[in-house]
Amino acid sequence: MLMEPRSNRGNGGRAPRVCASARIDLGLGTTALEVDGNLGTARKHFMRAALTAVNSEDDDLLGRAVLGWNGLWVHENRGVVDALLVRTWRQRAMQRLPSSSQTAKRLAVRDAAEVDYGDGSVARVGRLLDEAQQTADVLLVAEALNLCHHCMLGPEHAERRLSIADELIALGATEGRRIDLLMGVVWRTVDLVLLGDPHADRAVSELERMASHPDHSATLYLVSALKVMQMIRSGHLDDAERAAAACFERGEEVGDADALGWYGAQLCSLRWYQGRSAELIPLISELVSSQTLASTNEAYLAALAVAAADAGELEEALIALRRLRGPSLSNLRPSSTWLVALFGAAIAAHELHDRDVAVEVRELLAPYAERPVMASLGVTCFGSAHYPLALAALTLGDTDGARLHLEAAIRHNQTLGNLPATRIAQRLLESHVASRADGRPTPVSCTRVDGQWQISLGTRDVRVPDWLGMRYLAVLLARPGVEVSAIELSGRPTDAGTPQPVLDGRAVLEYRHRMERLREEMADAADDDARLDRAQREYDALVDELARGHGLAGRARNFASADERARTSVQKALKRVLAKIRADDPVIGDIIGRHLVTGFVCCYRR
């Protein structure tokens, strides 16, 4: 990294004059990246070195600074401005340096990896890896192996990834380059975790020991995320949630671009296992449009569809599922979140009775039925891929196929040590067994007994207090297949009034004008902390107010009409009583939940 440039086309071949501070920044950046593993600190040093190189027209220094700025992983520059700047400087150095120079070759590998990662491909960087392996350039080969592996995180490349990781380990051990050895072990550990290998936990422990002498912060952050995943699998969900929050703080300190995305994935899995996905709608909605997410990450659209369906917001769930699907789910780019996106699509399709999506999920997931569904580098686990395949089968009316997938999911989840996923699959299988041979549910009866309600399903029964939601449910169970409006259930009068927006157009325009002035003020107040803080607080308050006044896709929210108030009230009451039933008898609760429709019109399907 610190060798002198051999030539420079940008200044007629003359040796450029570079101040000592640029070489210092380059050295400090390399130390921060490769020795300390602090990605944020490294970026600052490499950025300063790059700015100096641009001003002095030292293209080799620029190339090496940009390589460092790119970091250890692919696609670390998520912001539009930073990404464009780094790409422009990378391509400038590539164009002006001799193609035979080491820096130019390394830049070409990095450029190919960035393009491939965005496309969900490995063609360009794979070709350059093959070329690098024909040379004696250890640094070039190591970087090509590392970058190629990162572009192959989709499930279709599992076997090939392991061989690349082993080659990187061998190269690092032979050449004595700790960072190459460490990255090789990182990738091998990730590969074993993603495969659900029974020895993956040992690999995590070995990685932690290796990254601790001396501490390599970026790697230890990954280890802490993998430990959160292990806690989730073991069923210690409260402990896992606390560990996930601490892990997020650690990722922020290290400067990892995926810190928020990983934390969100861990929370999504925790809330799904707890049956509380609806609570995450605000966070997921924010993450869907966050620039911190990788460009290939579509999993949060799937998570939004699941959370909205869980909240009974079926229209919002349908919109999120349609955004995820586009023309076809087959157009989703291969990535480390591909399996999670399909997992969420299967759940949402089942809730929305979307047969078209279920068909696509089944076709796409079938080759990976024996894989665990994991997010990113294994930071959380949603259990066996047999489970979403079971949901797809149920959506399509294939009850025998669903039963086989559920039995396989239980076995696979037990092998993974994923207790929450095992329980969910077992509960769904029990409710499946409780169904008739023709696939229709055994009739659920509901009677008053001693001031409570007794719900019966075959030989099973559960007692529920005389809650308002239970009265609504009793009406629907007594009239299976009949649609009843929320207004009728709640006994509310209809409202013929015109819905009024929470924020009118003039208010929105004034808010936006004020926000524009505040942005200018914050730019002017860069050196005045007190003034900057006041402006930032007011700006954030306006953003929150606009968010409250607008719904999904920017639609204006209206003050609730009588219909909307009835829908919300009935939905919440039914959800509360369903949670009570599920807590006392998961089988009866799941069967009712699968056949209960809520909204402006409610129904218990036959």
Side-chain angles (χ1 to χ4, degrees):
M1 289 288 289
L2 300 180
M3 58 186 177
E4 291 295 329
R6 290 182 291 276
S7 64
N8 191 295
R9 293 181 178 177
N11 60 0
R14 296 187 302 275
R17 297 181 60 188
V18 182
C19 62
S21 63
R23 293 192 177 89
I24 291 173
D25 274 320
L26 201 63
L28 290 174
T30 302
T31 300
L33 184 68
E34 298 185 358
V35 179
D36 301 330
N38 192 306
L39 306 175
T41 300
R43 287 190 201 106
K44 292 177 183 177
H45 288 298
F46 285 124
M47 180 183 67
R48 285 198 290 264
L51 288 169
T52 301
V54 168
N55 292 332
S56 63
E57 295 191 349
D58 186 334
D59 299 315
D60 191 81
L61 175 64
L62 175 62
R64 287 182 291 154
V66 169
L67 284 166
W69 194 353
N70 287 143
L72 294 172
W73 321 101
V74 175
H75 193 48
E76 283 199 40
N77 303 108
R78 304 285 169 84
V80 174
V81 175
D82 279 354
L84 181 60
L85 183 61
V86 171
R87 183 167 67 249
T88 300
W89 284 353
R90 184 170 63 237
Q91 292 175 348
R92 166 180 163 169
M94 286 170 58
Q95 292 167 359
R96 299 175 66 171
L97 287 169
S99 59
S100 59
S101 75
Q102 183 191 56
T103 302
K105 290 178 180 179
R106 292 171 62 201
L107 287 165
V109 171
R110 167 60 74 166
D111 197 64
E114 297 289 344
V115 174
D116 277 352
Y117 186 82
D119 290 347
S121 169
V122 73
R124 301 170 186 83
V125 71
R127 176 179 57 80
L128 291 181
L129 171 60
D130 291 340
E131 292 178 5
Q133 289 171 324
Q134 305 304 312
T135 72
D137 192 329
V138 173
L139 181 58
L140 180 63
V141 174
E143 290 184 356
L145 287 167
N146 180 45
L147 297 174
C148 189
H149 189 290
H150 203 153
C151 292
M152 301 173 71
L153 289 175
E156 71 275 21
H157 295 302
E159 301 303 325
R160 173 70 174 133
R161 286 201 308 264
L162 267 172
S163 65
I164 288 178
D166 287 343
E167 187 175 348
L168 187 53
I169 291 171
L171 189 67
T174 302
E175 299 297 328
R177 279 178 48 85
R178 179 177 184 259
I179 187 60
D180 297 336
L181 178 61
L182 187 60
M183 291 306 300
V185 176
V186 162
W187 287 130
R188 191 173 194 279
T189 302
V190 167
D191 291 338
L192 294 177
V193 169
L194 295 180
L195 283 171
D197 188 279
H199 297 135
D201 288 353
R202 298 181 188 176
V204 173
S205 297
E206 181 181 0
L207 176 61
E208 183 176 25
R209 287 194 299 272
M210 181 175 295
S212 299
H213 304 290
D215 284 358
H216 190 265
S217 299
T219 303
L220 291 174
Y221 165 56
L222 170 61
V223 169
S224 67
L226 293 173
K227 286 185 172 182
V228 172
M229 179 274 294
Q230 292 170 338
M231 296 171 75
I232 292 172
R233 276 183 172 175
S234 68
H236 299 120
L237 302 187
D238 290 340
D239 292 339
E241 185 165 348
R242 287 189 289 271
C247 180
F248 170 62
E249 291 180 3
R250 187 171 197 167
E252 290 278 272
E253 291 171 0
V254 170
D256 196 298
D258 283 315
L260 182 59
W262 286 5
Y263 182 48
Q266 290 165 347
L267 284 180
C268 283
S269 62
L270 286 165
R271 292 293 179 267
W272 182 68
Y273 286 134
Q274 294 165 336
R276 298 162 51 193
S277 295
E279 297 175 12
L280 292 181
I281 290 177
L283 172 63
I284 298 171
S285 299
E286 180 181 340
L287 281 168
V288 164
S289 57
S290 173
Q291 70 173 21
T292 64
L293 292 188
S295 61
T296 56
N297 187 348
E298 305 292 353
Y300 279 108
L301 274 175
L304 183 58
V306 172
D310 185 56
E313 302 285 350
L314 301 187
E315 181 182 359
E316 315 294 6
L318 183 61
I319 290 171
L321 185 59
R322 288 290 175 266
R323 288 176 63 191
L324 171 71
R325 185 188 182 200
S328 169
L329 287 175
S330 61
N331 293 335
L332 289 177
R333 289 170 290 181
S335 72
S336 60
T337 58
W338 185 82
L339 285 175
V340 178
L342 291 181
F343 179 87
I347 297 174
H350 183 60
E351 294 293 328
L352 297 169
H353 307 281
D354 193 322
R355 293 175 59 86
D356 292 338
V357 170
V359 167
E360 292 184 352
V361 167
R362 186 163 65 174
E363 291 176 353
L364 292 168
L365 270 184
Y368 310 110
E370 295 297 330
R371 299 284 175 81
V373 178
M374 309 196 74
S376 191
L377 305 188
V379 299
T380 195
C381 180
F382 292 88
S384 173
H386 277 291
Y387 183 80
L389 285 167
L391 292 180
L394 284 173
T395 307
L396 296 170
D398 180 7
T399 55
D400 289 337
R403 176 178 55 79
L404 292 174
H405 278 303
L406 286 171
E407 291 172 349
I410 292 168
R411 291 193 298 270
H412 190 194
N413 286 330
Q414 289 171 337
T415 300
L416 294 170
N418 193 323
L419 299 184
T422 299
R423 294 187 190 112
I424 285 177
Q426 285 174 332
R427 197 165 65 209
L428 185 55
L429 180 61
E430 288 173 5
S431 65
H432 172 81
V433 171
S435 295
R436 294 174 175 175
D438 62 5
R440 294 177 62 188
T442 301
V444 177
S445 63
C446 180
T447 56
R448 288 292 295 271
V449 178
D450 298 330
Q452 292 186 310
W453 294 90
Q454 178 170 303
I455 302 176
S456 301
L457 173 71
T459 61
R460 313 176 74 99
D461 61 70
V462 62
R463 293 285 185 97
V464 183
D466 187 25
W467 293 345
L468 182 61
M470 188 60 235
R471 297 181 188 182
Y472 298 157
L473 182 59
V475 172
L476 298 175
L477 290 174
R479 303 164 65 182
V482 177
E483 294 184 345
V484 183
S485 71
I487 283 281
E488 182 181 344
L489 276 177
S490 66
R492 294 175 184 269
T494 58
D495 183 357
T498 302
Q500 297 297 315
V502 175
L503 292 176
D504 62 25
R506 180 177 178 180
V508 171
L509 189 60
E510 289 177 353
Y511 278 19
R512 288 177 175 163
H513 283 327
R514 178 57 182 160
M515 290 168 69
E516 182 63 33
R517 290 195 296 272
L518 286 169
R519 281 194 290 266
E520 294 173 358
E521 184 176 342
M522 286 187 285
D524 294 338
D527 298 325
D528 186 339
D529 291 343
R531 183 183 169 201
L532 182 62
D533 182 64
R534 285 194 301 271
Q536 184 68 59
R537 286 176 183 274
E538 184 180 351
Y539 185 87
D540 291 344
L542 290 175
V543 170
D544 290 342
E545 192 66 23
L546 280 174
R548 282 193 292 270
H550 288 77
L552 195 64
R555 296 195 302 271
R557 294 188 190 277
N558 295 323
F559 287 110
S561 64
D563 283 345
E564 174 61 21
R565 289 194 297 272
R567 180 192 70 81
T568 302
S569 174
V570 169
Q571 207 165 58
K572 288 181 178 178
L574 285 170
K575 184 176 179 181
R576 181 185 177 213
V577 77
L578 186 57
K580 167 65 176 171
I581 296 169
R582 279 178 165 149
D584 292 345
D585 192 309
V587 174
I588 295 178
D590 275 2
I591 286 181
I592 292 176
R594 295 212 318 270
H595 295 273
L596 182 65
V597 178
T598 63
F600 290 108
V601 174
C602 302
C603 178
Y604 184 76
R605 294 191 189 89
R606 293 181 183 276

